[in-house]
Amino acid sequence: MQDPTIARPARPVRRPPVWPHLVALVIVAATLVIGLVVYPSAPDPMPVHFDAALQPDAWADKSIGGFLLPIIIGAVVVAIFWIIAACLPLTGTTRSDDGPHTSATASTWSTQLSPRPEVTAATTAATMRLLGDMSIATAALIAVVALTTWLGVPAWMAPWLLPVLMAGFFGSLAVSCVRVFRAQRRLG
């Protein structure tokens, strides 16, 4: 094992992949277009919440803001995931008020994930992939929920739509988390 107090050469900061967040934004934009097309035929009052059997249990007056609220939420969530992914490479650096230092002399507000740069790099890369996966999964989940709210839920789809949506969303989260843990264990 290498001594963590020995200075290592600086590693270039990797940029997060942009494409997953762009895919998520395309999903949100496509849902927005569909929403604007179906808005004139939306019922007034609109269903805004559904129970586990996908039956409406809460309604609100028809308004463009309320109608497009899922799109706004989806866009904000995608933007937050994108911002976090863009800031994540900074976790591989150490810094104190006096400037950069090795991990042994860094201040208490240092964000170094590990004294071993290769572990930090692998964890950071896997976490950036996780954020991209979650951006797409969240956009898809919100799109399906918005579309079923606006267009209704066909009777043949009602019994299995919610379990399939939740399985897809949480399955994507589980696969992404396993990638992060494997990246840490491989180098640990």
Side-chain angles (χ1 to χ4, degrees), residues 33-47:
V33 169
I34 293 169
L36 292 174
V37 168
V38 300
Y39 178 75
S41 63
D44 190 9
M46 303 180 314

Side-chain angles (χ1 to χ4, degrees), residues 23-37 71 143 147 150:
V23 168
L25 286 177
V26 167
I27 292 169
V28 170
T31 308
L32 172 66
V33 169
I34 293 169
L36 292 174
V37 168
I71 302 303
L147 292 173
W150 300 335

Side-chain angles (χ1 to χ4, degrees), residues 8-186:
R8 292 176 188 82
R11 297 176 68 108
V13 176
R14 289 189 54 206
R15 299 181 87 185
V18 174
W19 71 266
H21 306 288
L22 292 177
V23 168
L25 286 177
V26 167
I27 292 169
V28 170
T31 308
L32 172 66
V33 169
I34 293 169
L36 292 174
V37 168
V38 300
Y39 178 75
S41 63
D44 190 9
M46 303 180 314
V48 293
H49 192 269
F50 295 83
D51 61 17
L54 296 179
Q55 297 300 316
D57 61 3
W59 290 264
D61 291 334
K62 181 177 173 181
S63 71
I64 193 73
F67 189 76
L68 296 178
L69 185 60
I71 302 303
I72 296 165
I73 292 170
V76 168
V77 168
V78 168
I80 289 170
F81 284 156
W82 197 343
I83 290 167
I84 293 170
C87 293
L88 200 56
L90 299 175
T91 62
T93 63
T94 56
R95 188 182 135 205
S96 71
D97 297 327
D98 300 329
H101 297 281
T102 63
S103 59
T105 60
S107 74
T108 56
W109 68 280
S110 168
T111 57
Q112 183 72 31
L113 292 174
S114 170
R116 294 178 49 210
E118 62 276 6
V119 173
T120 298
T123 302
T124 301
T127 306
M128 285 189 290
R129 281 195 310 269
L130 177 139
L131 289 166
D133 293 348
M134 293 316 303
S135 186
I136 293 171
T138 302
L141 178 67
I142 288 173
V144 171
V145 169
L147 292 173
T148 56
T149 301
W150 300 335
L151 304 174
V153 180
W156 60 271
M157 188 186 295
W160 58 268
L161 180 62
L162 188 60
V164 168
L165 281 176
M166 293 296 103
F169 182 79
F170 288 114
S172 174
L173 176 61
V175 167
S176 297
C177 287
V178 166
R179 277 196 231 151
V180 172
F181 295 136
R182 281 188 179 163
Q184 288 177 334
R185 289 191 123 185
R186 199 173 344 172

